[in-house]
Amino acid sequence: MNGKVIGTGPYRATKLWNETIKLFRGGLPLRRHWANFRSYDCSFTGAEAVDYLHDLLRRNYNFGPEVTRYQTLQLLRKFLKAHVIEDIKGRHGTEDFEDNGHLYRFPPLSPLKSFPTKPLFRDCSDLPRLIRWDDYEELPQRENIAPLKSSVMTSDLWNKRHSVAIGDVNECKLIRRKEITTKQVDHIWKSMTAEHLQRVLGLKSLDGVLNPTHVNGKHIVHNVFSVNKTGIVVLENKAEDMPYWVVSAMKCLANWPNGNGSKQPAYPGFERDVLKTVADYFQRLKEPLLTYHLYEVFVNILSLQQQEVATEALQLSTLILPPPNRRRIQLLLRLMARVCQNPHLPPLNDAIATRTLMVQMFSHCVLGSVDEMDLDELLSTKLVTFMMEHHNTIFQVPAKLRSQVQEHLSHLKRAQIKYAGSDTDFSASPAFCKQIRRVESEEQRVIGTQTPLQALLEGLIADRELPAKDKRKRLKQFQRSYPDVYNYRFPTEESKAAALPEKAPRLKPHLMFLRKPFQPFQRSWSFRA
């Protein structure tokens, strides 16, 4: 496996499963073995299979060196149930794979999974469309209020407004749309988050990876804005939060030895019992914290080889989580990181290092698939290890996403000037202006007037019927009234000379004769005799 993201094909987990089986079947040495006074060709022992597969997984980028021998044994047991292998008598499914000298063989039939059929939803290849200006309806007139006249700008009104006669302009109308609703804001966050996630994953489509119906814009907005000072999600409904005793146990371990706020007796092995209490709660959850719906998304993230790209993908994908799930995984990963970095905490296991113990204990609580034959145990180990080491960065909102959403919302809130003959719908009845704050007025003035002024300047330059003298006069008036727009159009004298008509040089009176064509001087001479 080359570690690259699978394009738009369905389900990378199935692809990894099949490729792992191909590598295992194609590389495991097969030879003759003796058992019960009989010889069996093309067979292997359970211990040989564990040794080979363990080494194969540790050297593979999709799994990494964190894979343990026990996890390899668990995978071989899945292989036996799925009839990837069978014992020497042809039994599989009900038998249990053992890490010993028991003999096994490969069945003659192909053990590869068939790719699932394409989902029924058809809109997953097309990202939710962003809300545009034209999507808004005009504001209805309020009752018991006299109708106002729309702001129609003709050349006379324009000239009076700007105190300079700079020529005729096309008729235009000032349009303001309905206020953006909360539902529309949620939709914008949803569509932009999905678009960024698809780009970061390098996919042409999210088809087969993420169903848009499982993306809730309201959850994204909550995860972005409803957080405390440390960035942890705050839940409005306290019934969705973890029980108080779980939170207390997590605080006790995270702040050890100063976390026993209840002053309970710290007997030998107390910290191990506290960890077991926390582990029991998370292991009894009905669904992994990253949810079954997002399983394929996180499997695709695991194949990203650049740390910065993988971190950004995790930032986006964890925004999609329901707020209770995001809060739980935030607190769990922070606890795991603090436990691993706490030198004052006694060993939590006599045989396993604390870091390995934490990953093994909670990995299957974080990532898992509905299909029990998937590689979720191996994949979750790698994912949880990475998320634990970079949890502070992963749960930050991508700055690029936030800025683009705010820019899009600001654009939709601006007033807009429409000109007759433009590509916008000019036939619709315009809405009317309302009083706004001075700061907003200045922003709209700068942004909303430059575009028509630039168009007006270009029209003045391109007017061939206007005499050159009048054109230069009006351009000077324009320059005095709108120096910023004028200087932007003519940054240098060369650009000005290229666009404006050349001015004929004025000649002095004593040189006016040069205008007449040259005539040779003739003089008659007479001689007297």
Side-chain angles (χ1 to χ4, degrees):
M1 287 176 281
N2 54 14
K4 295 182 180 179
V5 177
I6 297 174
T8 59
Y11 308 129
R12 178 171 176 80
T14 302
K15 182 75 172 181
L16 286 177
W17 172 271
N18 289 343
E19 290 184 352
T20 303
I21 292 175
K22 289 179 181 178
L23 292 174
F24 177 62
R25 285 171 58 98
L28 178 64
L30 303 178
R31 59 187 180 88
R32 177 180 297 179
H33 290 84
W34 287 84
N36 299 325
F37 305 102
R38 289 187 57 183
S39 64
Y40 298 92
D41 295 330
C42 299
S43 60
F44 55 91
T45 66
E48 292 172 346
V50 175
D51 291 338
Y52 178 80
L53 184 58
H54 186 212
D55 182 66
L56 174 66
L57 296 174
R58 287 171 56 87
R59 290 186 290 106
N60 190 284
Y61 176 81
N62 291 284
F63 307 104
E66 299 292 337
V67 178
T68 64
R69 187 177 182 86
Y70 177 75
Q71 290 176 320
T72 305
L73 177 61
Q74 291 295 99
L75 178 59
L76 284 168
R77 287 174 178 171
K78 289 186 177 182
F79 283 178
L80 184 62
K81 292 182 180 180
H83 205 191
V84 176
I85 58 178
E86 61 186 15
D87 73 355
I88 204 64
K89 296 182 179 180
R91 294 173 297 186
H92 64 89
T94 57
E95 302 296 321
D96 202 2
F97 188 90
E98 299 294 341
D99 185 4
N100 52 24
H102 193 78
L103 295 182
Y104 299 89
R105 65 187 182 190
F106 291 121
L109 300 178
S110 174
L112 303 181
K113 284 185 180 181
S114 58
F115 285 104
T117 57
K118 197 169 185 178
L120 295 178
F121 51 88
R122 299 296 183 185
D123 59 343
C124 55
S125 59
D126 300 325
L127 295 176
R129 185 177 63 84
L130 281 176
I131 298 175
R132 298 193 301 264
W133 177 273
D134 296 335
D135 293 336
Y136 293 102
E137 299 177 355
E138 303 290 349
L139 280 177
Q141 296 185 7
R142 291 176 292 178
E143 297 180 358
N144 302 325
I145 297 180
L148 301 176
K149 293 183 178 181
S150 60
S151 300
V152 179
M153 290 189 181
T154 60
S155 59
D156 294 336
L157 180 58
W158 182 276
N159 295 336
K160 292 179 181 179
R161 181 73 57 85
H162 298 279
S163 303
V164 57
I166 53 178
D168 294 336
V169 296
N170 296 327
E171 182 179 296
C172 61
K173 293 184 179 182
L174 185 65
I175 305 297
R176 186 180 68 84
R177 298 295 186 178
K178 186 192 299 184
E179 296 294 335
I180 302 177
T181 64
T182 303
K183 185 177 181 180
Q184 291 166 340
V185 173
D186 296 344
H187 178 80
I188 291 173
W189 275 98
K190 171 181 176 178
S191 57
M192 282 198 169
T193 303
E195 179 183 358
H196 279 244
L197 181 59
Q198 176 178 316
R199 174 185 57 81
V200 173
L201 291 178
L203 301 175
K204 296 180 180 179
S205 169
L206 293 178
D207 188 7
V209 177
L210 177 62
N211 187 340
T213 59
H214 297 148
V215 182
N216 191 325
K218 185 177 181 180
H219 291 168
I220 299 176
V221 174
H222 187 102
N223 292 333
V224 171
F225 298 103
S226 299
V227 296
N228 58 20
K229 295 181 179 180
T230 59
I232 304 296
V233 173
V234 178
L235 301 178
E236 298 178 356
N237 185 4
K238 299 302 180 182
E240 298 178 343
D241 202 354
M242 294 183 293
Y244 174 77
W245 52 272
V246 177
V247 178
S248 299
M250 296 177 71
K251 289 182 178 179
C252 178
L253 275 181
N255 302 314
W256 187 273
N258 302 318
N260 191 2
S262 60
K263 303 300 180 182
Q264 296 179 358
Y267 54 85
F270 175 75
E271 67 283 349
R272 299 189 180 187
D273 290 342
V274 175
L275 176 61
K276 186 176 183 302
T277 300
V278 176
D280 287 343
Y281 169 78
F282 283 98
Q283 291 172 358
R284 292 178 182 178
L285 294 176
K286 297 180 180 180
E287 186 180 26
L289 294 176
L290 298 182
T291 73
Y292 291 133
H293 299 311
L294 299 180
Y295 178 75
E296 287 293 331
V297 175
F298 288 100
V299 172
N300 275 269
I301 293 175
L302 284 171
S303 62
L304 300 174
Q305 299 188 18
Q306 296 183 2
Q307 177 178 324
E308 296 79 7
V309 179
T311 300
E312 184 180 0
L314 287 171
Q315 288 176 336
L316 295 167
S317 55
T318 52
L319 275 180
I320 304 174
L321 292 173
N325 290 51
R326 182 177 170 93
R327 174 177 171 82
R328 288 187 179 94
I329 194 172
Q330 281 182 292
L331 295 175
L332 176 60
L333 292 174
R334 189 172 67 168
L335 167 67
M336 296 171 63
R338 289 189 177 184
V339 168
C340 295
Q341 298 170 2
N342 190 351
H344 304 290
L345 191 65
L348 298 175
N349 190 282
D350 297 332
I352 305 176
T354 300
R355 183 174 181 273
T356 304
L357 175 66
M358 299 300 290
V359 173
Q360 291 184 3
M361 184 173 290
F362 294 106
S363 60
H364 63 281
C365 307
V366 175
L367 180 69
S369 63
V370 179
D371 185 2
E372 63 177 9
M373 293 304 174
D374 274 328
L375 305 170
D376 49 277
E377 293 184 9
L378 300 176
L379 297 175
S380 61
T381 299
K382 181 181 179 181
L383 179 65
V384 171
T385 302
F386 183 85
M387 296 183 70
M388 181 180 66
E389 295 174 350
H390 304 88
H391 70 282
N392 287 328
T393 306
I394 287 173
F395 290 99
Q396 296 177 1
V397 180
K400 186 176 181 180
L401 172 64
R402 186 193 291 267
S403 63
Q404 290 188 0
V405 171
Q406 294 301 330
E407 181 180 354
H408 188 75
L409 292 174
S410 299
H411 172 72
L412 295 177
K413 293 177 182 178
R414 293 170 186 156
Q416 189 179 60
I417 298 176
K418 290 188 177 182
Y419 294 90
S422 63
D423 55 353
T424 54
D425 183 13
F426 187 67
S427 60
S429 58
F432 305 98
C433 302
K434 69 175 182 179
Q435 186 175 3
I436 59 176
R437 294 183 294 109
R438 181 179 296 274
V439 176
E440 296 178 356
S441 176
E442 290 298 321
E443 292 179 354
Q444 294 182 8
R445 182 184 65 80
V446 174
I447 298 173
T449 60
Q450 284 188 354
T451 300
L453 287 174
Q454 291 172 356
L456 180 63
L457 178 59
E458 294 295 335
L460 188 58
I461 296 172
D463 191 353
R464 296 182 178 180
E465 298 180 358
L466 187 66
K469 181 178 179 181
D470 295 339
K471 179 178 294 188
R472 289 192 297 270
K473 182 179 178 180
R474 292 193 179 185
L475 287 173
K476 287 183 178 180
Q477 292 175 340
F478 190 99
Q479 182 181 12
R480 288 195 298 268
S481 301
Y482 310 104
D484 295 337
V485 179
Y486 186 87
N487 294 332
Y488 180 80
R489 176 61 177 84
F490 302 116
T492 62
E493 290 296 331
E494 291 77 6
S495 61
K496 181 178 178 181
L500 301 181
E502 296 183 359
K503 181 178 179 181
R506 298 182 62 183
L507 299 178
K508 295 182 179 180
H510 65 279
L511 296 178
M512 291 297 292
F513 73 91
L514 292 178
R515 291 181 174 271
K516 298 180 180 180
F518 175 76
Q519 295 179 356
F521 181 77
Q522 296 181 358
R523 184 176 181 179
S524 62
W525 297 88
S526 63
F527 297 91
R528 292 183 180 180

